[in-house]
Amino acid sequence: NVAGFIGATLVPGPSNNAIWKNKKVNIKSANLRNTQIGATLNNLDWADSIIAVIGKSKDSYEIFEVSTDWFKKEMGDSRLPYNKFVSCAKIRNYGTKIGEIPA
């Protein structure tokens, strides 16, 4: 799992929240054909940053970190008012690459 791979400790609950390098992070993913990473407003209010796991090929994912402040500035709406999205391309261009993980 991604949390174990980067050395984060998951927080109990269903939302992929974790503690990583003394920061509160929300781990989100997008498969190879997905073009956006989504996060709920509650998670954005809780977390210091988003760990975005983005499909690179059928065999691997790239892992990026972006601050929740940046995510909030870049986010667009979804069909659900509490869920927001940022394009994977923007995250790849702006985010700090942490590494890659096998699919």
Side-chain angles (χ1 to χ4, degrees):
N1 80 15
V2 174
F5 182 80
I6 65 171
T9 303
L10 287 173
V11 173
S15 61
N16 277 341
N17 286 332
I19 303 298
W20 179 64
K21 295 187 175 182
N22 296 319
K23 292 185 279 190
K24 297 182 288 186
V25 298
N26 183 234
I27 301 169
K28 305 306 292 182
S29 63
N31 290 326
L32 186 59
R33 289 181 185 86
N34 291 359
T35 60
Q36 297 181 314
I37 289 282
T40 65
L41 292 175
N42 284 345
N43 285 333
L44 290 169
D45 287 341
W46 180 85
D48 299 312
S49 61
I50 300 295
I51 302 298
V53 185
I54 302 172
K56 180 181 178 183
S57 70
K58 66 182 178 74
D59 299 319
S60 69
Y61 288 82
E62 293 178 297
I63 306 170
F64 296 89
E65 179 186 18
V66 294
S67 72
T68 50
D69 288 341
W70 179 86
F71 195 99
K72 288 175 181 179
K73 287 179 201 159
E74 298 294 326
M75 68 189 185
D77 291 333
S78 71
R79 284 178 268 162
L80 302 171
Y82 56 84
N83 203 28
K84 304 296 180 178
F85 289 97
V86 173
S87 78
C88 292
K90 281 186 182 179
I91 292 171
R92 276 194 173 105
N93 287 334
Y94 177 84
T96 300
K97 187 172 180 179
I98 297 168
E100 292 189 24
I101 189 170

